[in-house]
């Protein structure tokens, strides 16, 4: 039995995932999910392999809507979008989607270039170099996170502290340093004020980059005290990690004092006890 039968963050071959939407839905149904949401990466103003193209997005919408009908009455399928802060959608373009995960994957440096936080350790280091220090890089990153949390389209804030993706192996940032704690906690304050649902994301654990979900336990505790609502998601890219590390994360959340989680069903968000 799956402990928390919901997941709204997932990718397929239509983005940077490994399986087709049909394969993901079939595996989710087999696992006993009540709601399974697709959240392919939004179209960017420039080409990126991991993002959808405008044509790819129309195929994505068609495919997921077809799956919705196919699983009707057995498992709820939801059509989501992981909106990168660099994307630019009109209200009309957002219409087809049931929910939006608002995510930051990069920061723009003084060189005018985009520096990704999650694509590789080298690119992350390059970003820090361009910004001159990890502190300056983190400042720019969290400014973007605050903007993502305040975006009017946003339902869920994706991976709050993605900039720590490679930090367990090699310490680019000392998370206990005063400057990092001040910066991340003040960003957490702004996120709490925005009233957005915050995602607890296990993706980096299944990709063996981290041993704990985003955000860190300290941030979860802090946000929980500020009344933030959380949702658990696997950010899965394959059929074998649909609910990866859900049990461990539920334990961690309980340890942080979290008593309920958001879930999605019948087209809306609601809370479940954990
Ligand atoms: Zn993401
Ligand atoms: Zn994702």
């Amino acid at each position: 039995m799956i402990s928390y039968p919901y997941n709204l963050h997932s990718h397929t071959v239509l983005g940077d995932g490994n399986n087709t939407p049909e394969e993901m839905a079939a595996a989710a149904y087999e696992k006993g999910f009540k709601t399974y949401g697709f959240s392919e990466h939004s179209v960017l103003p420039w080409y990126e392999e991991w993002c959808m193209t405008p044509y790819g997005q129309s195929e994505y919408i068609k495919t997921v809507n077809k799956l919705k009908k196919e699983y009707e009455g057995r498992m709820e399928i939801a059509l989501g979008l992981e909106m990168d802060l660099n994307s630019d959608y009109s209200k009309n373009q957002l219409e087809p989607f049931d929910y939006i995960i608002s995510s930051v994957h990069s920061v723009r440096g003084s060189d005018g270039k985009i520096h990704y936080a999650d694509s590789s350790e080298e690119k992350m280091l390059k970003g820090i170099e361009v910004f001159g220090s990890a502190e300056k890089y983190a400042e720019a990153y969290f400014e973007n996170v605050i903007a993502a949390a305040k975006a009017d389209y946003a339902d869920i804030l994706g991976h709050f502290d993605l900039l720590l993706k490679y930090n367990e192996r090699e310490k680019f940032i000392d998370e206990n340093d005063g400057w990092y704690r001040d910066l991340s906690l003040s960003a957490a304050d702004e996120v709490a004020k925005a009233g957005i649902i915050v995602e607890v994301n296990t993706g980096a654990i299944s990709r063996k980059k981290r041993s704990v979900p985003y955000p860190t336990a300290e941030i979860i505790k802090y946000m929980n005290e500020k009344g933030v609502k959380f949702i658990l998601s696997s950010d899965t890219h394959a059929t074998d990690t649909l609910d990866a590390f859900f049990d461990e994360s539920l334990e961690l959340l309980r340890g942080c004092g979290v008593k309920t989680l958001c879930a999605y069903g019948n087209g809306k968000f609601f809370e479940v006890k954990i």
Side-chain angles (χ1 to χ4, degrees), residues 9 11 39 41 82 105 159 235 237:
H9 195 156
H11 299 280
S39 61
H41 290 289
E82 184 176 8
H105 299 100
H159 41 63
D235 197 352
H237 287 62

Side-chain angles (χ1 to χ4, degrees), residues 120-190:
S120 72
E121 229 166 294
E122 293 68 38
K123 285 193 179 157
M124 159 87 184
L125 270 177
K126 176 76 189 156
I128 291 175
E129 192 190 305
V130 166
F131 278 87
S133 69
E135 188 173 346
K136 288 264 176 302
Y137 180 84
E139 243 173 58
Y141 171 84
F142 280 118
E143 246 170 59
N144 282 357
V145 169
I146 294 166
K150 290 185 174 168
D152 52 3
Y153 52 73
D155 296 301
I156 300 167
L157 177 68
H159 41 63
F160 173 81
D161 43 13
L162 182 76
L163 84 168
L164 299 178
K165 181 166 179 180
Y166 303 105
N167 212 49
E168 279 187 17
R169 258 188 52 192
E170 197 162 333
K171 286 270 176 205
F172 304 114
I173 293 166
D174 183 348
E175 293 156 47
N176 297 314
D177 261 359
W179 70 262
Y180 183 78
R181 296 194 64 237
D182 288 352
L183 201 56
S184 56
L185 293 177
S186 78
D189 275 331
E190 292 301 313

